[in-house]
Amino acid sequence: MSTTIRIAVIGGGAKAAAICAKAASLRDVHGIDIQITVFERDEIGAHWSGGHGYTDGAQRLCTAAERDVGFPYSHDGFGARVAADMQARFSWAAFMVATERYADWVDMGRHRPSHAEFAEYLNFCITRSGAEIVHGDATFLEYSDDSWTVSYMDGIRWSFEARADFDGVVITGIGPADSKIPSKIEDERVLDGETFWQSCATLPDVMAGNEDQIVIIGSGGTAAATAGWLVRAGIRQQITILGTQATLYARADSAFENRAFRDLDVWKKLSYGDRLDFTNRLTRGAVWTTALDALNGARNVVYQPGRAQAVRYDPVGDPNGEILVEFTTSSNPTSRQYLAASLVVDATGFDPFWFAKMLPSVWQHEVLGDKPRMQSAMSDSMELPLTGCRGLHAPMLSQIVSPSYSSLMALGAMSDALLKPYFEAISP
Ligand SMILES: Cc1cc2nc3c(=O)[nH]c(=O)nc-3n(C[C@H](O)[C@H](O)[C@H](O)COP(=O)(O)OP(=O)(O)OC[C@H]3O[C@@H](n4cnc5c(N)ncnc54)[C@H](O)[C@@H]3O)c2cc1C
C-alpha cells in the first residue's frame, strides 16, 4: 500500500460527513493521508433536505443534536487530539457558531435539528473537510488488483464516467422503500415511506371532504412520522396504523440504553440472538417519544395489530374502485379482515441491500444469497465478507457489529471503526 489511502463513499449523507470529517482530522493531527471522494446523486444531505423524499425537511431528528458526526468523541479511537479537533471543527456546536446560530439554539432549549437543518450541517462538515465531491449516480463497482473502480452517471455532463484506484468503498443510505406486503396495487392513493413526503404538500386538499380512514401500514419510525405529519396538517378523518406488533412501542432517552449503544465491551459479550433482540427492540421496533408526542393527544389515531396481506381495489381490478387493505391477525392467521381506505401509506421498510445491483454478478449473488451471513460475518470495520475482494464497507448492515453504527447514535465511533485498518496500514 502507498502512503495515501483513497476511499470512495457512495452517498453524501450522515455517514459520508462523519468519515470525511474524521479523515480531515487524521490528516491535520497525525499527518495521515486518507483522501475521501463522495459520490452523490442528488445533493449533499438529499435524504434530509426535504427535496428528495424520506422527509419534508421540517420533521425533527429523533436523536439529540449533540449526537453529531464526532459523537462520542472517545479518546479510544484516534486519541485526545483528534477528539478535540473534531469537536472544534465538525461538531454541531461548531456549525452553530460558524453560522451565528449558537446563542439562539441555546436560548431556544437546544432543540433537535429539523431534517433540513441537519442537511445543512452535513454539507458544512463535508465542505469543511475538503473532501472531493463527485455529482453522480453510482451505477457499478468493479474490483481488481486490490483496488476499486466506481462507475457513475455524471449529473453535470450526463455521461457515463468512471473513477479508479480506490482502496475501499463505503455504501451508505437505507435504500429505496421495500414493501413487505405480499400483494400491492400501484395507485396514486397508495404511497410509501419515500413517496409520501413528495406528495404530502397537496394531501390536505386531496383529503378535504373525504371521510374514509387513512391506513398507515407499519409500526416503526416512518409510520409514526407520517401519522404525526397528518395530525399536524389537521387531517380530520381516522388514521389507522396497522402493524405486526401489539402496539407502538416507545423509545425514550435512558442512560442504560444509550450507554449500551456505545459500550462495545458489553456488546461483544452478547450472543448473536441477544444482539438482534437489542437492535430489533430499540431501533426497528420502537418509536422515539419525540415522534410519538404528536400522536399522544390525537383522538383520530388508532393502532390496529395485524399483518397486511394485500392492498387492492374493491371490486378487484377496478382502478376506479375503493382501496381495500386485507390483513390477518396473529391469533387467526387464516382469516382475512378488511379496512377500506381513502389513502394507504406503506411504511413497512426500506431495502438496505439496494447496492447489490451495483456489484459484479458473482458478488451480487453472494450478497443476496445469504443476507444473514453478510451481517453476522462482517468485520469490525464493517467490511462485507465477500469471497476474493476486500474493502467493501456497508455500515447500514452493521447491527451485529455494533448497535449504533447504522444510525446517528454514534457516527464518530462508526468512522473510527471504519477508518482504523486504513490508518494502521499507513501509520509510520
Ligand atoms: C428521514 C429519516 C430520518 C431519520 N432520523 C433518524 C434519527 O433521528 N436518529 C437516528 O439515529 N436515525 C435516524 N434515521 C435512520 C438512520 O440514521 C439514517 O438512515 C442513516 O444513518 C443515514 O445515514 P447514511 O449516510 O447511511 O445515508 P443518508 O444520509 O440517507 O445518505 C445517503 C445518500 O446517498 C445518496 N445516494 C443514494 N443512491 C446513490 C447512488 N447510487 N449514487 C450516489 N448517491 C446515492 C442519496 O441521495 C443520499 O444523499 C433516519 C432516517 C431517515 C431516512
Side-chain angles (χ1 to χ4, degrees):
M1 241 180 211
S2 73
T3 51
T4 298
I5 292 283
R6 297 183 67 236
I7 296 177
V9 182
I10 311 300
K15 307 267 180 355
I19 293 164
C20 289
K22 189 60 57 70
S25 262
L26 291 176
R27 201 161 42 242
D28 290 357
V29 174
H30 290 301
I32 292 292
D33 192 15
I34 300 180
Q35 301 285 341
I36 310 291
T37 300
V38 177
F39 293 80
E40 172 52 53
R41 180 181 56 194
D42 295 313
E43 58 172 333
I44 297 297
H47 289 171
W48 306 91
S49 66
H52 304 275
Y54 295 94
T55 175
D56 60 353
Q59 305 295 306
R60 293 206 173 271
L61 284 188
C62 299
T63 33
E66 291 90 340
R67 285 189 189 278
D68 53 22
V69 302
F71 190 83
Y73 296 99
S74 164
H75 297 184
D76 295 344
F78 295 106
R81 284 199 298 142
V82 169
D85 182 67
M86 286 291 293
Q87 237 291 324
R89 290 200 293 154
F90 297 107
S91 61
W92 175 259
F95 168 61
M96 288 282 99
V97 171
T99 54
E100 272 202 282
R101 281 182 259 180
Y102 186 73
D104 280 345
W105 177 64
V106 172
D107 284 345
M108 291 160 76
R110 297 186 355 269
H111 58 265
R112 287 158 204 256
S114 71
H115 289 168
E117 282 177 304
F118 190 62
E120 257 187 88
Y121 166 61
L122 300 179
N123 199 13
F124 164 86
C125 292
I126 294 178
T127 306
R128 186 169 260 201
S129 76
E132 181 189 22
I133 300 170
V134 174
H135 295 281
D137 185 355
T139 51
F140 198 59
L141 301 174
E142 281 169 283
Y143 180 81
S144 71
D145 297 331
D146 289 339
S147 108
W148 287 93
T149 298
V150 179
S151 299
Y152 61 99
M153 166 57 93
D154 189 297
I156 294 166
R157 283 181 285 187
W158 292 109
S159 54
F160 279 105
E161 307 285 341
R163 299 288 291 272
D165 297 329
F166 292 107
D167 300 289
V169 175
V170 185
I171 311 282
T172 69
I174 51 172
D178 181 35
S179 182
K180 312 288 184 297
I181 305 169
S183 162
K184 191 175 88 171
I185 51 168
E186 279 188 28
D187 187 287
E188 59 186 9
R189 292 167 289 173
V190 181
L191 303 172
D192 60 34
E194 252 181 296
T195 54
F196 173 83
W197 302 104
Q198 287 156 335
S199 323
C200 63
T202 56
L203 279 181
D205 291 337
V206 174
M207 305 310 296
N210 192 331
E211 296 301 316
D212 284 348
Q213 70 190 320
I214 295 171
V215 178
I216 299 174
I217 305 170
S219 44
T222 308
T226 48
W229 187 92
L230 291 165
V231 168
R232 279 193 294 270
I235 299 282
R236 313 284 293 221
Q237 63 259 59
Q238 178 166 313
I239 300 166
T240 303
I241 303 176
L242 175 71
T244 50
Q245 298 177 166
T247 189
L248 287 182
Y249 293 116
R251 159 95 164 94
D253 259 319
S254 125
F256 297 100
E257 289 176 0
N258 286 344
R259 257 188 239 120
F261 269 96
R262 62 184 168 86
D263 192 335
L264 276 187
D265 290 338
V266 170
W267 188 249
K268 289 196 162 140
K269 291 182 182 127
L270 299 178
S271 67
Y272 176 78
D274 283 348
R275 293 184 200 192
L276 272 189
D277 278 354
F278 182 92
T279 46
N280 287 342
R281 159 78 183 83
L282 291 181
T283 55
R284 296 205 183 142
V287 178
W288 278 90
T289 46
T290 39
L292 282 178
D293 281 348
L295 307 183
N296 284 336
R299 288 171 162 267
N300 61 332
V301 181
V302 296
Y303 184 83
Q304 163 74 53
R307 182 174 294 279
Q309 302 292 353
V311 177
R312 65 165 174 87
Y313 293 117
D314 183 33
V316 175
D318 177 0
N320 297 316
E322 217 175 7
I323 305 251
L324 218 54
V325 177
E326 291 185 11
F327 70 98
T328 51
T329 57
S330 52
S331 65
N332 197 354
T334 53
S335 163
R336 298 251 168 158
Q337 300 183 42
Y338 305 92
L339 295 169
S342 55
L343 180 81
V344 174
V345 183
D346 176 357
T348 54
F350 298 92
D351 177 17
F353 287 90
W354 67 273
F355 62 89
K357 63 177 193 274
M358 291 199 285
L359 297 173
S361 59
V362 58
W363 290 321
Q364 200 176 112
H365 290 130
E366 197 173 352
V367 168
L368 297 178
D370 195 350
K371 290 179 180 177
R373 196 180 79 83
M374 289 300 122
Q375 296 183 283
S376 61
M378 185 177 252
S379 76
D380 287 349
S381 66
M382 293 157 276
E383 255 183 278
L384 290 171
L386 293 176
T387 312
C389 87
R390 296 177 52 198
L392 184 62
H393 306 260
M396 71 282 197
L397 296 176
S398 63
Q399 289 87 344
I400 299 301
V401 176
S402 154
S404 56
Y405 293 171
S406 60
S407 68
L408 309 183
M409 286 300 286
L411 285 168
M414 183 279 304
S415 60
D416 288 349
L418 196 141
L419 294 176
K420 195 123 216 168
Y422 297 106
F423 176 87
E424 285 169 355
I426 56 169
S427 285

